[in-house]
Amino acid sequence: MRTRGIIGALLKSFGPSEHGTRLVRKGRRLGRFVRHKFWLWMFLFATIFLIYLLLFGLNMHFPAKLEGSGTSIRISARQEILPFHVVGRPPRSKHRKQYLPCEVGFLESVEYLVEPKEVMNFTQFSLEFIDQEGIPSHSNIYEPRFGGHQILEEREQSFFAKNQTLHCGFIKGPPGFSSTGFDIDAKDKAYMNECKIAVSSCIFGSSDFLRRPTSKKISEYSKKNVCFVMFVDEQTLGKLSSEGHVPDVTGRIGLWRIVIVKNLPYEDMRRTGKVPKFLSHRLFPHSWYSIWLDSKMRLNTDPMLIIEYFLWRTKSEYAISNHYERHCVSEEVLQNKRLDKFNHTAIDEQFAFYQSDGLTKFDPSDPNTPLPSYVPEGSFIVRAHTPISNLFSCLWFNEVDRFTSRDQLSFAYTYLKLRRMNPDRPFYLSMFKDCERRALVKLFRHREEPSPPGPPPVI
């Protein structure tokens, strides 16, 4: 009789014996038992595997790409229940509200634009800036800082619209100390010194793609008389060059004059970006007007039409749009913490300080509320370089330098305190609608979001 299986073959090799028949029968039974167990275990493993696929298979089929890279990550079911400070930004809602542009009544042409005489009636005083600091006598450890070492008494006095010399960035240390940063080539400085009207933006840390102004929407007058300056660091320039954006012999990419900034003053790229955003009057010292737009925007409107509409027509010296959703600083504080935009303790300390110094909750029903919102959408700013406009820009920058880089937290406090301390010296700030801002530009998303920085310097 022919034996089957490994056990049967093994028993057959033993040769005939008086117990051969009995052993063969046992071997057959044992072989059937082993095969039965084997198929039982295979069935169990297959069942477990199918259950695993049903429970977790979706995560394997829907990988999420990391923005700005070619790699991908898996979104695990566990991540969705972790707190925001662990997983970062919460998932976007599928029903995200849409914010649309609205019609803006620009003039049809820049041909007959005439600067109104009223611009000379703004508050006048002399404003100078501290360029260099000495080592404080009480300091054992000294390190030069781009924003300087302003004490609280100096900070308080700086809010008065009077003849003064104040901290406003670009502050050097004593002789022998290294540069505090934001170094620009002499040729670029000479070019910016000649600008009367400037449009500027910046990209630091390769955080964005280059968005060129729409040339066909810009008049020949503005192309000849307006300086379009994009500030970049060397890392960003290398990235742009690899993407085909190489400056020509004049240093331009399209309308943008590319200005390379070396030795960035802050590790936080967002804080570094506040230098050209707020201190255009220092970078363009002889300019009359300037327009700032974040690098996530492409300018689709002639700069002169923007200045006429937002400054001349409203008789304003500073124009910025309100936030599209939030209007109270307390709401902005909660949102910044919810999305981990900055160190939570630093945000709380800044907000508590502002509340102790008079910042109140926004009340839209109060007819005496000076602004339609206490939270700006600060990505687009139009300003005349008047003394009090320049003072406000310095004060706002100093708050960003002292506290957090989230400038929407310090805007209302800075504006309200400046008004409160100068009741007889008006500051003509116009806050326009966010839908108007959206009509001026085309909006894009940032290339990547920088990681939340740590706490700021000690007050």
Side-chain angles (χ1 to χ4, degrees):
M1 183 178 293
R2 187 177 178 184
T3 60
R4 297 179 181 177
I6 297 175
I7 301 299
L10 182 61
L11 291 173
K12 184 177 179 182
S13 68
F14 291 157
S17 68
E18 59 179 347
H19 303 292
T21 303
R22 186 183 300 174
L23 290 173
V24 169
R25 290 176 179 171
K26 290 183 177 179
R28 289 176 178 172
R29 288 196 299 268
L30 184 58
R32 286 196 297 269
F33 176 79
V34 170
R35 287 196 299 272
H36 177 73
K37 287 290 187 182
F38 172 79
W39 289 114
L40 179 61
W41 280 107
M42 286 294 292
F43 176 77
L44 290 175
F45 278 123
T47 303
I48 293 172
F49 183 71
L50 287 173
I51 294 174
Y52 176 82
L53 285 180
L54 290 174
L55 292 177
F56 303 104
L58 291 177
N59 292 329
M60 300 176 64
H61 289 82
F62 297 93
K65 290 217 170 177
L66 285 170
E67 189 177 1
S69 70
T71 60
S72 64
I73 57 174
R74 291 179 182 174
I75 305 175
S76 68
R78 185 182 177 188
Q79 275 186 315
E80 298 178 359
I81 62 174
L82 292 176
F84 293 140
H85 69 275
V86 176
V87 300
R89 181 168 297 187
R92 295 185 181 275
S93 172
K94 294 181 180 179
H95 305 288
R96 189 179 184 188
K97 187 176 180 180
Q98 295 294 318
Y99 300 94
L100 302 175
C102 55
E103 186 175 352
V104 181
F106 290 123
L107 297 179
E108 294 184 359
S109 171
V110 303
E111 186 175 358
Y112 301 108
L113 283 182
V114 178
E115 185 179 40
K117 296 180 180 180
E118 288 82 356
V119 299
M120 303 304 296
N121 296 331
F122 294 132
T123 301
Q124 299 296 320
F125 56 92
S126 175
L127 200 62
E128 302 293 336
F129 311 108
I130 296 173
D131 292 324
Q132 193 171 41
E133 283 185 333
I135 301 176
S137 57
H138 61 275
S139 176
N140 295 325
I141 301 176
Y142 175 80
E143 180 180 356
R145 296 181 61 247
F146 179 82
H149 296 79
Q150 184 188 52
I151 62 176
L152 287 175
E153 183 179 353
E154 292 172 328
R155 175 183 179 275
E156 188 72 12
Q157 290 298 314
S158 68
F159 277 85
F160 287 103
K162 63 180 182 179
N163 298 342
Q164 63 167 311
T165 301
L166 79 161
H167 291 74
C168 193
F170 300 98
I171 298 176
K172 302 175 183 177
F177 283 85
S178 60
S179 167
T180 54
F182 217 86
D183 300 332
I184 297 175
D185 185 81
K187 291 182 179 180
D188 290 324
K189 284 187 176 181
Y191 170 79
M192 293 188 293
N193 284 341
E194 298 297 322
C195 296
K196 301 302 180 183
I197 301 171
V199 175
S200 62
S201 186
C202 74
I203 307 174
F204 296 130
S206 300
S207 58
D208 265 313
F209 299 96
L210 184 68
R211 317 291 183 188
R212 306 186 190 189
T214 305
S215 183
K216 64 181 180 180
K217 297 291 184 71
I218 310 299
S219 66
E220 291 300 319
Y221 176 88
S222 292
K223 290 178 181 178
K224 293 179 181 179
N225 295 281
V226 176
C227 297
F228 295 84
V229 175
M230 174 65 72
F231 297 96
V232 302
D233 58 342
E234 293 176 295
Q235 173 190 341
T236 299
L237 182 62
K239 182 68 173 178
L240 295 179
S241 298
S242 69
E243 296 172 341
H245 299 290
V246 180
D248 61 19
V249 293
T250 66
R252 288 177 171 81
I253 301 177
L255 290 178
W256 286 125
R257 165 80 177 235
I258 304 300
V259 173
I260 302 173
V261 179
K262 298 182 179 180
N263 188 21
L264 301 183
Y266 304 102
E267 293 183 4
D268 180 4
M269 294 296 101
R270 186 180 296 276
R271 199 188 300 266
T272 298
K274 299 303 184 285
V275 176
K277 178 175 181 176
F278 293 144
L279 305 185
S280 61
H281 61 288
R282 307 238 30 210
L283 291 165
F284 305 94
H286 299 108
S287 62
W288 303 328
Y289 301 97
S290 66
I291 297 173
W292 165 265
L293 68 155
D294 279 4
S295 53
K296 65 182 179 182
M297 299 176 169
R298 172 180 291 145
L299 185 64
N300 289 336
T301 309
D302 189 280
M304 295 307 303
L305 296 181
I306 292 173
I307 291 171
E308 188 279 331
Y309 182 83
F310 289 105
L311 296 184
W312 297 352
R313 200 178 301 185
T314 62
K315 299 181 180 179
S316 303
E317 50 194 321
Y318 200 103
I320 190 170
S321 73
N322 63 275
H323 196 274
Y324 51 86
E325 192 169 67
R326 294 178 292 280
H327 303 285
C328 188
V329 182
S330 60
E331 297 172 354
E332 186 65 21
V333 166
L334 292 176
Q335 182 72 352
N336 274 265
K337 291 168 65 177
R338 188 176 75 87
L339 299 182
D340 268 344
K341 292 292 188 178
F342 207 90
N343 177 276
H344 292 199
T345 301
I347 292 176
D348 288 338
E349 289 177 351
Q350 180 179 7
F351 187 48
F353 183 87
Y354 288 167
Q355 287 181 304
S356 68
D357 197 26
L359 178 64
T360 58
K361 187 175 181 179
F362 176 71
D363 183 1
S365 63
D366 185 355
N368 297 319
T369 300
L371 293 172
S373 172
Y374 281 177
V375 181
E377 217 310 319
S379 57
F380 197 91
I381 302 174
V382 189
R383 78 198 83 172
H385 289 189
T386 62
I388 201 165
S389 172
N390 294 343
L391 174 60
F392 175 74
S393 296
C394 289
L395 296 175
W396 196 4
F397 172 80
N398 288 342
E399 294 304 293
V400 169
D401 179 69
R402 179 180 292 272
F403 292 105
T404 72
S405 60
R406 309 303 302 181
D407 55 53
Q408 290 163 316
L409 301 179
S410 49
F411 167 79
Y413 167 83
T414 305
Y415 172 75
L416 295 172
K417 186 176 177 67
L418 178 63
R419 278 174 49 96
R420 187 172 70 246
M421 298 182 69
N422 300 277
D424 300 326
R425 315 209 80 180
F427 174 36
Y428 296 98
L429 184 148
S430 171
M431 180 170 270
F432 55 91
K433 298 177 181 179
D434 178 68
C435 64
E436 293 180 307
R437 176 185 67 93
R438 294 174 183 271
L440 310 175
V441 297
K442 180 175 176 59
L443 298 175
F444 298 87
R445 295 193 184 280
H446 292 296
R447 187 198 297 267
E448 62 184 30
E449 190 73 17
S451 57
V458 178
I459 298 175

